[in-house]
Amino acid sequence: MDASTIVCKCEEINIAEIELAIKSGANTFDDIKRLTRCGMGPCQAKICTNLVRQIISESLEVPLSEIRPPRLRMPLKPTRISALVGNEVSSSVISVFSESAPQEDDENHG
Ligand code: FES
């Protein structure tokens, strides 16, 4: 992997940006999150957590086990506002990833 390799696909943050954040004083995932938006995408750091922890560990020469994952905040996945206000008709929690996939009916009719 070179410095341009994307680590956080949701926010398009590469290794060089993570390393720059570390050189600027970041030493936790949450510090890097504040400086770069890494981990703030739709997956809520599910994809990038371990890669970022590994970069921190190698850059600071600290065991990986000592690098904590980012703090999680609610909602844990994308949620419609109507689900939060209690509209029973559309109160299910829906992932943006499942909504973006074309439906068979969409392909046939539109
Ligand atoms: S890959 Fe980093 S927030 Fe999704």
Side-chain angles (χ1 to χ4, degrees):
M1 292 194 290
D2 67 16
S4 66
T5 302
I6 298 290
V7 173
C8 178
K9 293 178 182 178
C10 297
E11 296 294 333
E12 298 181 358
I13 306 297
N14 62 30
I15 291 174
E17 292 169 291
I18 302 294
E19 290 175 341
L20 180 60
I22 293 168
K23 285 179 184 162
S24 299
N27 58 15
T28 66
F29 193 113
D30 287 327
D31 291 342
I32 290 170
K33 190 175 178 179
R34 286 184 208 102
L35 291 171
T36 67
R37 291 193 52 83
C38 178
M40 297 176 80
C43 83
Q44 294 289 290
K46 288 181 182 75
I47 296 171
C48 59
T49 293
N50 287 333
L51 289 170
V52 173
R53 288 179 61 227
Q54 186 174 350
I55 294 168
I56 296 169
S57 171
E58 290 171 3
S59 296
L60 299 178
E61 298 179 1
V62 173
L64 183 61
S65 59
E66 292 183 18
I67 309 298
R68 298 175 63 167
R71 265 191 315 183
L72 298 177
R73 295 175 189 243
M74 299 296 280
L76 297 179
K77 62 183 184 179
T79 305
R80 289 189 181 276
I81 294 296
S82 60
L84 299 176
V85 297
N87 180 348
E88 289 186 32
V89 174
S90 59
S91 63
S92 63
V93 176
I94 299 169
S95 165
V96 294
F97 297 114
S98 65
E99 282 189 328
S100 63
Q103 303 296 313
E104 283 186 27
D105 289 344
D106 293 343
E107 292 174 6
N108 294 334
H109 302 290

